[in-house]
Amino acid sequence: EAEEDADGDAETQQLDLENDPEEANQRRNPFGRLARYYQQVAARTPAAVKRGAAKSQEHLKPEDRLRVWELMLSLRSMKYVGGESTIDTFFAFSLLPVDAGQKKSKIRLLPEYSPACILQKNQEKVLESPFSVWRTKLFRLSYNDLAKYQLKVAMWRVSKYTFNTYIGRGDRSLQKIVWNDANVNFAVKAKLTKEQEEKRKKGKKVAVSDVAMLGLTINCEEVFDFQLQFENWTLELAENHPLLKDGRDKESKCLRFIVPRNKHADATKASRPTNNLHQVVVKWKKPGKEKLNWTNLGEGVEPFRFRGTRTALQTQCVVVQVHSGTVYFDAQPTRSPGGKVIGTALMNLTSVLEISVFSGKVKDLQTEEKKFLVGTVTGSIKAIMCSMDMKDPAENIKGGRPSQPKSSVTVGHLKRSEQHLVIRVQKCDHLAVADPETASSDPYLRCTWDNMLQRSPVLKETLRPVFNFNFFFPVRLFNPKLRKRNFQDNALQFELASKGDINIQVWDDDDTSSDSLGGLKLSLSKLLKSKKQERTLLGAPPTIQEDEEGEVGPAAKQWFEQEKWTRVYDGAQSELTGCPIPNPETPLIYFEAYFYPDWPESVTVGETEGGDADNELWMKKKEEWDSTCKKFHKIYLDVYPDAIGARPCFSDELKQTPNLRRFPCMAAHPQTTEPLPLMAFPSKIITPQDLIKPATLLHWINCFTFSNSSRQDRTGEIDAWKDPQTFLFSRKGPVQDHALLLASVLLGAKKEAYVCKGTISRREYPNAPVKLVEHAWVMTREQQGWVTFWEPCTREMYHLPGRWKRKDEREKERSKRERAGKAQELALADNEGEDEELAEEKEGTEQFANEMPDLCLKAEDLDDLPTVGRMPKAKSRVVKKENFRDKQRKENERLKNGERVAPRREFTDPGLLVDWLPYDSIDCVFDDKNIWMNGQNHHPACIHYNLEPPWEKEGDPPWVSYFKQNNEEDPDREKVRPVNLEVVIDPAMTSDALERREREMVSEMEENMRAARGREGRDTLFAKPAKLGQQLTQFLTQLEEMRMLDIDFCPAFKKTSIGEWTPEERFMLKLRCGSDKDEELLSQQYNKHGSPFGAKDNDRYKGYEQEQAKRWNAVMQELNKFNQAIETKDKVVIEVPKGKIFDGRPMHFSTSDKEDIRTHLLQNETFKEMVADKKDTTFVVHCKMFAKLGGVQSTWLYLGWMEPQPSE
């Protein structure tokens, strides 16, 4: 029912529990209906039988234990493909055993029927609103029983004068449903004729034609008892917050966690007494120099339990309240901790099953915007899955638990008490061709808002997809009081603005990577300025049709079918921008957006600052930046004209100047193409703790496909930058996109990370001239003055000691120098009198006989000096000659500039010298706050990285910043709008999908080898021994583990010489570098000064060195087992036939695209040798893929061969 507040304008949604007792009981106990059903079954069952069933359930195999399943089914579209031109039909849905002779069924669901409709032949009828067949139906089945039950859809022809006629049916097993996408195309087969039935009885195959194709959304998920573990929570208060200046920053702090128990709970309404919420308060912490940190929730606090499906958990949220007060005890507080609530953070659990680290903004109910944001809380939420009513979460289930790929939520997942933002997309027109082979695309939609991501089904091979798909985003406020009238003009606007714009993107679906087909952003200010229209939660209300007698009967409506007046933004024929694929047409999208129910009329959101005014500001600052770059280039050219640093920083369009040294400060927005400063592209990304280990993180970044644009390959210049969200969705891009993602993850891990843009030398082919190419990598400033370069292409880390100092250290040195300077001035003043007396004594001394007296020549006297040789001819135009003072001033300035751009002498000392960097120059660096131009020497090993003042010397800064770095904040800095405030990372690929990709890869590589050897006139035989395949899988698993280890802590390099290495260590490092030469083996350890990650006083990497050494030894032992089996020809392990020897080569690829891998193999020397030289050989092709976050894979191929053993 609708309930008005005291002012009569605010409107909220509530359940009328008194008028609907069944719904009330369902809210209090959502599984009460299932429990009551089994209570009735148990009442009819003898006690002995019940005890036996319970006992047998405990000792059954995991695949045979009964699980609780939740089923939701809706009909989206229908298409008739039979023989008639039109048909009046309806469909019947039921769940039945596959075996028709089975007497008892474990599923007790009545059939449901769709409305009757008239279908035209070969014309798809897309429903404006999906028809809900089943909503939240529960049943019990084991994993093995899923294959024994099927969804049956029967098609009937409507007859007005006789019985309805059966047309045909379609079926699909529950096992296929729970493993595949919820959005399916369901085929209905025609009814068998008598002849076909007789053939089938005789065991003959019968071809049955389709009569209809249905678009269904089938959500069938298991119900779990999730255990939510909260660990390592940190509170970081905002700097210079007005509320913290009154001494509250010195008060103790504690956190209060409000966690839902089931899908009907609402953590944002914790003030109401309910049993659907967990509420726990952690201990009080006194503030100190470090951040406030809580390792756990306290002793004796068990993990929170959430009962529901995966989707139900991912649509929930957690609320964290921050309390502040003066506490004189250190005890575990009660449910009401006391003190004052200074802020509340709300975190959606959208990615809780993939990423365990969460971060939320702490907000306070304030009417001033500067007081609204209090700080940030960060912590870990681990969700451990345990089947409902089972105690053991670590069940060994073969093939893993069944799960459907993540998709958009349906109406059955929504709560009636919540307000929703509805995005309804009808269709798209004129999309770009992403697949040239089919001259079409496989488009699907990604919609993000308030850090929540949803996606639509994929429509195959179309450039004009008709989606008719709804996205439902719950509108959650950190405080329910925001809906009151007195906060609608201030705090509510701040809260809605903090949720960001609505982002709709169209992507082309691909197994390995995706191509953007365009996108758009819709601000809430435009939405709330739209005109009001009548809408239901599913879209426009259906038109009312009269029956044959002209009467309209009242129909009962669900809560989501009730019409409400709301402001609707009409996005028909909106242009999609940001597609990198050439397209002669303008891509368009048809959609609408609205809130259901709507906000009061007074609620609006201010326009986001920007547009033309900001573009003018950025262009003006770019002109200033370019002017500074030109001046610095001139300085470098005067001092070192042949150096890399003196290369021109701008290209002549006519001459097309090569080998530039550019200093970029701006790039185009990936979607809108508007100019933005580079600091708008990085975003702080929170990732799991295990992923931010240095070598593991670099390996993950390296698994994204490297792909340059044709222009960047041709010119060697970075032509575009993509934000991390776009790069994560596409899963491919050039090196600068890899560097941006790497820096964003490091920034999210609270490290001082910067994206570096510089140059490297490259040869396009052997013996070709060296070409200077622009490159990007990442720099971090570590403890004790270390600087680390992170190279995303080769996964290497270069450590430079003593390259920077903290600001407080430099200020102390500066004040010390000032005091020493003042003391020196006083000493000079005392000695002035003595110097004058000595000068007077010297004036009276006699000169030597042959000595000429000293003369003082002025500038004008220099022109009267005699000249040697022929006098110059008189010129018509006399140029004013430069006097002596101007020449001396220019010489002094040249010497000063030479000192500025010269390599720093202290970095040439053996203890600080770094001569193993692959970079030729470093031009500029940037993070999410500023950009700095390198105003020193061009080489990255010969300069310091003190980006902010104070510096050692006054004058020209060694690092020129885009924004001011004085004590006063630059007001232009606040106008930088990040491309994406929150970044969503896709989950890793499922195990069954990974195995399918591995089989496809092996089949593709074998076919390529057959074709390549067939052209040489050779036959090709392949062997697939099972035991050898298992050994190769273990072998490649260890190689994958080795790629995630830090080479600086390899035990072999702790020894004084290579002669002390064991055979196992040599074999392991030989595999890593691909060579057995001593120089190549030793070159793997290039950081001669050590690593900052192994420092004993480095709290961030405590125990890192010992952990790496332990993992290195474990990998070495496993690799040694495989090596011994090969050398001893252990037939039990490798299954090599008699008279044959086995050999092979492992290869790693930073892509899982079959076409890219085939292209690389054709250029590989080992592959060429296998194709051309191997005779009487049996080949072995083995593939192993490792799923990573973001939907990428680490791909390993092992190409082996069994050839005759030589006689010797």
Side-chain angles (χ1 to χ4, degrees):
E1 64 179 1
E3 188 179 72
E4 296 182 354
D5 64 354
D7 298 314
D9 291 332
E11 180 179 331
T12 58
Q13 287 275 324
Q14 285 186 335
L15 277 175
D16 191 352
L17 303 183
E18 297 179 358
N19 298 333
D20 193 353
E22 183 180 354
E23 188 70 28
N25 185 40
Q26 180 72 6
R27 272 181 62 83
R28 286 192 294 268
N29 185 6
F31 299 92
R33 188 178 303 170
L34 181 69
R36 290 194 300 273
Y37 165 71
Y38 283 104
Q39 287 174 4
Q40 296 172 4
V41 175
R44 300 192 299 266
T45 307
V49 177
K50 288 192 292 185
R51 288 194 300 269
K55 186 176 181 180
S56 61
Q57 180 77 2
E58 294 177 359
H59 295 84
L60 285 176
K61 295 181 179 180
E63 294 80 6
D64 294 330
R65 297 174 185 174
L66 292 178
R67 320 279 173 162
V68 180
W69 300 87
E70 182 182 86
L71 175 65
M72 286 180 282
L73 175 63
S74 58
L75 175 64
R76 303 192 319 269
S77 63
M78 298 171 285
K79 183 179 181 180
Y80 176 64
V81 293
E84 304 177 18
S85 59
T86 60
I87 186 173
D88 189 359
T89 184
F90 69 93
F91 299 91
F93 301 85
S94 57
L95 280 180
L96 297 173
V98 175
D99 184 6
Q102 183 175 342
K103 296 181 179 180
K104 292 185 179 181
S105 174
K106 296 181 180 180
I107 301 178
R108 300 179 62 181
L109 290 180
L110 295 176
E112 296 289 343
Y113 303 92
S114 70
C117 60
I118 298 177
L119 300 180
Q120 305 290 334
K121 184 178 180 179
N122 295 331
Q123 292 186 9
E124 186 177 18
K125 181 179 180 61
V126 181
L127 303 180
E128 294 183 359
S129 300
F131 172 72
S132 180
V133 180
W134 283 313
R135 290 187 59 228
T136 317
K137 297 296 182 181
L138 301 174
F139 58 89
R140 278 186 183 266
L141 278 182
S142 66
Y143 292 150
N144 286 337
D145 288 340
L146 292 173
K148 301 177 182 178
Y149 287 82
Q150 63 183 357
L151 170 66
K152 175 184 174 182
V153 181
M155 182 177 181
W156 295 80
R157 178 189 289 109
V158 178
S159 178
K160 296 182 180 180
Y161 307 106
T162 182
F163 296 107
N164 297 330
T165 306
Y166 175 69
I167 302 298
R169 75 168 190 180
D171 49 54
R172 177 169 295 195
S173 68
L174 289 180
Q175 188 175 32
K176 291 183 178 180
I177 292 175
V178 298
W179 279 107
N180 294 299
D181 194 354
N183 301 285
V184 298
N185 293 321
F186 196 92
V188 179
K189 301 292 184 181
K191 176 185 176 182
L192 294 178
T193 63
K194 292 183 179 180
E195 296 178 357
Q196 291 175 333
E197 289 181 356
E198 292 177 358
K199 288 182 179 180
R200 175 169 287 186
K201 290 179 180 179
K202 294 178 181 180
K204 297 181 180 180
K205 293 184 178 181
V206 179
V208 184
S209 60
D210 297 339
V211 291
M213 294 296 296
L214 304 181
L216 301 179
T217 300
I218 313 172
N219 295 99
C220 188
E221 299 181 273
E222 184 182 353
V223 179
F224 295 96
D225 285 334
F226 291 97
Q227 297 179 11
L228 303 180
Q229 297 180 352
F230 287 64
E231 298 175 348
N232 298 322
W233 284 85
T234 302
L235 171 62
E236 185 176 1
L237 300 176
E239 298 180 358
N240 302 322
H241 192 279
L243 291 179
L244 302 180
K245 293 181 179 180
D246 57 357
R248 193 164 292 163
D249 56 336
K250 301 179 181 179
E251 295 179 347
S252 299
K253 305 292 187 299
C254 77
L255 303 180
R256 179 189 182 195
F257 292 89
I258 304 171
V259 184
R261 293 178 183 267
N262 50 60
K263 70 176 185 179
H264 296 283
D266 190 350
T268 62
K269 299 177 181 178
S271 58
R272 302 179 182 179
T274 177
N275 295 326
N276 287 339
L277 296 173
H278 298 279
Q279 299 189 38
V280 173
V281 181
V282 298
K283 291 183 178 181
W284 290 89
K285 290 279 187 176
K286 294 182 180 180
K289 294 182 180 180
E290 300 180 356
K291 302 170 186 176
L292 296 166
N293 181 268
W294 291 265
T295 306
N296 50 51
L297 300 186
E299 299 179 359
V301 179
E302 297 181 357
F304 301 128
R305 192 186 75 165
F306 179 90
R307 174 166 289 185
T309 63
R310 291 181 176 92
T311 305
L313 176 64
Q314 292 172 328
T315 55
Q316 279 290 350
C317 67
V318 169
V319 173
V320 182
Q321 291 181 349
V322 181
H323 293 254
S324 178
T326 304
V327 181
Y328 302 98
F329 57 90
D330 187 19
Q332 183 74 16
T334 60
R335 185 168 180 174
S336 299
K340 183 178 180 181
V341 179
I342 62 173
T344 304
L346 188 150
M347 288 169 284
N348 294 307
L349 299 179
T350 307
S351 59
V352 67
L353 298 179
E354 294 87 25
I355 300 176
S356 59
V357 181
F358 287 81
S359 178
K361 301 293 183 182
V362 181
K363 305 168 187 175
D364 192 15
L365 194 61
Q366 297 289 334
T367 57
E368 298 181 26
E369 189 172 4
K370 61 181 180 180
K371 299 180 180 180
F372 182 69
L373 185 61
V374 178
T376 306
V377 289
T378 306
S380 171
I381 305 178
K382 296 181 180 179
I384 302 175
M385 289 188 297
C386 182
S387 294
M388 180 176 166
D389 295 331
M390 293 188 184
K391 298 181 180 179
D392 184 17
E395 294 182 282
N396 186 14
I397 302 171
K398 187 178 180 181
R401 297 182 185 270
S403 62
Q404 292 179 311
K406 187 177 179 181
S407 183
S408 178
V409 297
T410 59
V411 178
H413 295 113
L414 306 180
K415 290 187 287 188
R416 179 179 179 180
S417 59
E418 285 188 330
Q419 183 185 18
H420 294 88
L421 171 65
V422 182
I423 313 296
R424 177 170 174 76
V425 180
Q426 286 90 15
K427 63 177 181 177
C428 295
D429 278 340
H430 310 304
L431 295 180
V433 176
D435 188 359
E437 295 181 358
T438 60
S440 64
S441 301
D442 300 330
Y444 70 96
L445 301 169
R446 285 179 180 262
C447 191
T448 55
W449 182 71
D450 193 18
N451 199 25
M452 291 181 284
L453 167 67
Q454 297 183 24
R455 55 176 293 171
S456 72
V458 179
L459 301 184
K460 295 292 185 180
E461 297 184 4
T462 177
L463 300 180
R464 294 187 174 183
V466 178
F467 291 102
N468 278 349
F469 196 80
N470 289 359
F471 297 100
F472 304 104
F473 294 96
V475 181
R476 292 169 178 150
L477 308 178
F478 74 93
N479 195 321
K481 295 181 181 179
L482 287 169
R483 296 184 181 273
K484 292 187 176 181
R485 185 181 181 87
N486 53 337
F487 292 110
Q488 291 178 3
D489 296 334
N490 38 66
L492 180 58
Q493 293 188 14
F494 308 152
E495 170 71 352
L496 292 178
S498 67
K499 296 181 180 298
D501 297 336
I502 302 167
N503 191 356
I504 305 175
Q505 295 183 345
V506 186
W507 288 83
D508 173 68
D509 181 62
D510 199 337
D511 290 338
T512 57
S513 60
S514 298
D515 295 311
S516 175
L517 302 179
L520 61 85
K521 285 190 176 183
L522 174 63
S523 63
L524 294 184
S525 60
K526 293 182 179 179
L527 172 56
L528 295 176
K529 290 180 181 179
S530 305
K531 295 181 180 180
K532 281 199 169 188
Q533 300 181 37
E534 201 172 15
R535 287 291 184 272
T536 67
L537 185 65
L538 303 178
T543 57
I544 301 177
Q545 296 181 354
E546 298 180 350
D547 57 13
E548 295 179 354
E549 299 180 358
E551 297 180 357
V552 179
K557 295 183 179 180
Q558 299 280 359
W559 66 271
F560 51 84
E561 296 175 332
Q562 297 175 3
E563 295 89 353
K564 295 181 182 295
W565 286 92
T566 180
R567 284 167 283 189
V568 180
Y569 179 84
D570 186 5
Q573 293 187 341
S574 298
E575 182 180 352
L576 295 171
T577 59
C579 177
I581 304 175
N583 187 4
E585 302 284 346
T586 301
L588 303 175
I589 186 172
Y590 297 74
F591 76 101
E592 63 180 19
Y594 57 91
F595 287 99
Y596 182 89
D598 196 10
W599 295 97
E601 289 285 351
S602 58
V603 176
T604 58
V605 178
E607 285 285 351
T608 306
E609 295 183 3
D612 296 337
D614 279 359
N615 293 343
E616 293 178 1
L617 172 64
W618 304 138
M619 296 307 296
K620 181 179 178 181
K621 293 189 74 68
K622 183 179 184 301
E623 293 177 359
E624 297 174 359
W625 178 272
D626 293 343
S627 176
T628 305
C629 296
K630 290 179 180 178
K631 293 179 181 178
F632 178 71
H633 169 254
K634 185 178 180 181
I635 291 173
Y636 218 117
L637 189 64
D638 292 341
V639 180
Y640 301 113
D642 298 329
I644 293 178
R647 298 286 175 89
C649 51
F650 296 97
S651 175
D652 189 342
E653 296 182 358
L654 297 178
K655 297 181 180 180
Q656 294 183 354
T657 308
N659 297 337
L660 298 177
R661 190 196 178 196
R662 302 190 304 165
F663 302 89
C665 66
M666 296 183 67
H669 191 287
Q671 287 187 9
T672 63
T673 67
E674 63 180 358
L676 290 175
L678 287 178
M679 72 279 290
F681 288 82
S683 303
K684 293 182 179 179
I685 302 177
I686 306 297
T687 56
Q689 193 70 20
D690 294 339
L691 186 61
I692 60 175
K693 294 179 180 179
T696 304
L697 177 58
L698 275 172
H699 177 53
W700 178 60
I701 297 294
N702 188 257
C703 288
F704 287 85
T705 304
F706 288 83
S707 175
N708 291 345
S709 65
S710 57
R711 182 186 181 279
Q712 185 165 340
D713 276 334
R714 184 179 68 257
T715 63
E717 300 176 2
I718 295 176
D719 58 346
W721 297 79
K722 285 188 293 190
D723 61 286
Q725 185 66 88
T726 304
F727 178 60
L728 283 168
F729 284 167
S730 61
R731 302 193 292 276
K732 65 178 180 180
V735 64
Q736 62 266 25
D737 296 343
H738 290 72
L740 262 175
L741 177 60
L742 175 58
S744 298
V745 173
L746 292 172
L747 286 172
K750 303 294 191 300
K751 292 178 72 73
E752 293 188 55
Y754 308 86
V755 179
C756 303
K757 182 268 165 188
T759 57
I760 58 174
S761 298
R762 187 183 70 181
R763 297 180 185 271
E764 296 183 355
Y765 52 90
N767 300 325
V770 176
K771 182 180 179 181
L772 209 60
V773 176
E774 292 185 340
H775 189 66
W777 66 95
V778 175
M779 175 191 76
T780 56
R781 299 198 299 186
E782 306 292 342
Q783 297 181 6
Q784 299 179 350
W786 287 86
V787 166
T788 298
F789 289 155
W790 307 61
E791 176 50 53
C793 290
T794 59
R795 304 175 295 104
E796 293 176 337
M797 290 176 287
Y798 307 103
H799 304 301
L800 290 71
R803 290 317 196 267
W804 78 288
K805 295 180 180 179
R806 296 197 311 268
K807 187 176 181 180
D808 56 345
E809 295 179 353
R810 283 179 275 133
E811 288 177 348
K812 290 180 181 179
E813 293 180 355
R814 182 179 181 180
S815 60
K816 189 176 181 180
R817 287 194 303 268
E818 290 177 353
R819 289 195 301 269
K822 290 180 180 180
Q824 187 176 5
E825 289 178 1
L826 293 175
L828 290 174
D830 294 339
N831 295 331
E832 281 184 359
E834 299 178 2
D835 294 340
E836 291 177 358
E837 294 177 0
L838 292 174
E840 292 177 357
E841 293 177 1
K842 289 182 178 180
E843 288 179 358
T845 57
E846 297 182 357
Q847 299 178 353
F848 293 99
N850 297 329
E851 184 181 5
M852 296 293 296
D854 295 335
L855 299 177
C856 179
L857 295 179
K858 298 181 179 180
E860 55 269 16
D861 297 335
L862 297 177
D863 297 335
D864 299 333
L865 292 177
T867 59
V868 179
R870 184 173 57 86
M871 294 292 294
K873 295 182 179 179
K875 297 181 180 180
S876 58
R877 183 178 179 182
V878 179
V879 181
K880 185 179 180 180
K881 292 186 177 181
E882 199 172 27
N883 56 37
F884 178 77
R885 290 182 179 179
D886 292 340
K887 288 182 179 180
Q888 189 66 30
R889 179 178 56 81
K890 286 188 175 182
E891 181 64 20
N892 293 337
E893 185 176 358
R894 192 183 71 83
L895 294 175
K896 181 180 178 182
N897 293 333
E899 184 180 0
R900 175 186 176 187
V901 299
R904 294 180 66 89
R905 293 184 179 180
E906 62 267 28
F907 297 145
T908 60
D909 294 339
L912 298 177
L913 178 64
V914 174
D915 57 357
W916 53 83
L917 295 182
Y919 314 115
D920 290 313
S921 72
I922 182 169
D923 307 330
C924 58
V925 301
F926 65 91
D927 60 1
D928 58 338
K929 297 178 181 178
N930 211 337
I931 312 174
W932 293 267
M933 183 196 76
N934 178 20
Q936 309 170 80
N937 187 265
H938 64 274
H939 199 277
C942 302
I943 59 176
H944 69 76
Y945 293 90
N946 299 323
L947 302 179
E948 61 282 332
W951 293 293
E952 295 179 357
K953 297 181 180 180
E954 300 293 338
D956 295 329
W959 289 95
V960 183
S961 61
Y962 188 85
F963 290 126
K964 298 177 182 178
Q965 294 192 122
N966 300 329
N967 295 330
E968 299 180 359
E969 193 71 18
D970 194 330
D972 294 338
R973 190 193 301 269
E974 300 178 358
K975 298 181 180 180
V976 177
R977 292 175 290 124
V979 177
N980 275 294
L981 289 171
E982 302 289 346
V983 177
V984 180
I985 304 179
D986 287 341
M989 183 177 288
T990 58
S991 58
D992 59 322
L994 210 62
E995 292 175 0
R996 176 179 57 84
R997 297 288 306 281
E998 291 172 353
R999 292 192 296 268
E1000 293 176 355
M1001 184 68 69
V1002 171
S1003 177
E1004 179 73 16
M1005 295 304 107
E1006 290 178 350
E1007 189 62 32
N1008 291 333
M1009 290 184 63
R1010 286 193 186 95
R1013 289 177 59 85
R1015 288 191 292 268
E1016 301 291 333
R1018 293 186 173 90
D1019 295 332
T1020 307
L1021 299 177
F1022 293 96
K1024 296 183 179 181
K1027 293 183 179 179
L1028 179 59
Q1030 296 175 1
Q1031 290 297 319
L1032 290 176
T1033 297
Q1034 297 178 7
F1035 175 66
L1036 296 178
T1037 301
Q1038 297 307 315
L1039 294 183
E1040 174 72 10
E1041 174 70 11
M1042 187 165 59
R1043 287 180 69 88
M1044 296 185 289
L1045 296 180
D1046 197 333
I1047 190 63
D1048 292 323
F1049 302 104
C1050 179
F1053 291 108
K1054 300 296 181 181
K1055 300 179 180 180
T1056 55
S1057 66
I1058 194 172
E1060 300 179 7
W1061 288 7
T1062 63
E1064 293 81 5
E1065 292 173 341
R1066 190 178 185 93
F1067 174 70
M1068 177 179 62
L1069 294 175
K1070 169 189 172 182
L1071 286 173
R1072 189 180 183 275
C1073 71
S1075 175
D1076 199 19
K1077 298 180 180 179
D1078 290 353
E1079 313 87 51
E1080 298 290 338
L1081 293 173
L1082 291 173
S1083 65
Q1084 298 180 74
Q1085 218 284 342
Y1086 36 80
N1087 289 314
K1088 302 176 183 178
H1089 304 303
S1091 169
F1093 305 145
K1096 295 182 179 180
D1097 53 351
N1098 194 335
D1099 297 333
R1100 180 184 289 271
Y1101 296 100
K1102 185 175 295 184
Y1104 179 76
E1105 182 176 2
Q1106 293 77 8
E1107 182 226 2
Q1108 290 290 308
K1110 184 178 180 181
R1111 291 172 62 185
W1112 273 109
N1113 289 326
V1115 169
M1116 181 176 59
Q1117 294 175 5
E1118 294 297 327
L1119 292 177
N1120 186 47
K1121 292 179 182 178
F1122 182 81
N1123 187 35
Q1124 291 179 352
I1126 297 295
E1127 292 181 351
T1128 59
K1129 304 174 186 177
D1130 190 347
K1131 296 182 179 180
V1132 178
V1133 177
I1134 60 175
E1135 296 179 312
V1136 178
K1138 187 176 181 180
K1140 297 274 188 177
I1141 59 173
F1142 178 75
D1143 199 359
R1145 299 291 182 271
M1147 300 180 184
H1148 182 269
F1149 297 91
S1150 295
T1151 178
S1152 58
D1153 186 85
K1154 294 177 289 188
E1155 295 296 327
D1156 291 344
I1157 291 178
R1158 181 173 61 84
T1159 303
H1160 287 295
L1161 282 178
L1162 292 176
Q1163 302 172 0
N1164 184 269
E1165 296 299 329
T1166 300
F1167 187 79
K1168 293 179 181 178
E1169 179 185 350
M1170 292 174 63
V1171 171
D1173 300 335
K1174 299 294 180 183
K1175 299 179 181 179
D1176 301 328
T1177 303
T1178 303
F1179 296 96
V1180 176
V1181 179
H1182 189 78
C1183 176
K1184 178 60 180 174
M1185 295 184 181
F1186 298 89
K1188 305 292 182 181
L1189 275 180
V1192 297
Q1193 300 86 41
S1194 177
T1195 305
W1196 284 92
L1197 271 182
Y1198 190 93
L1199 302 181
W1201 54 87
M1202 300 178 186
E1203 56 186 354
Q1205 185 175 2
S1207 57
E1208 65 274 10

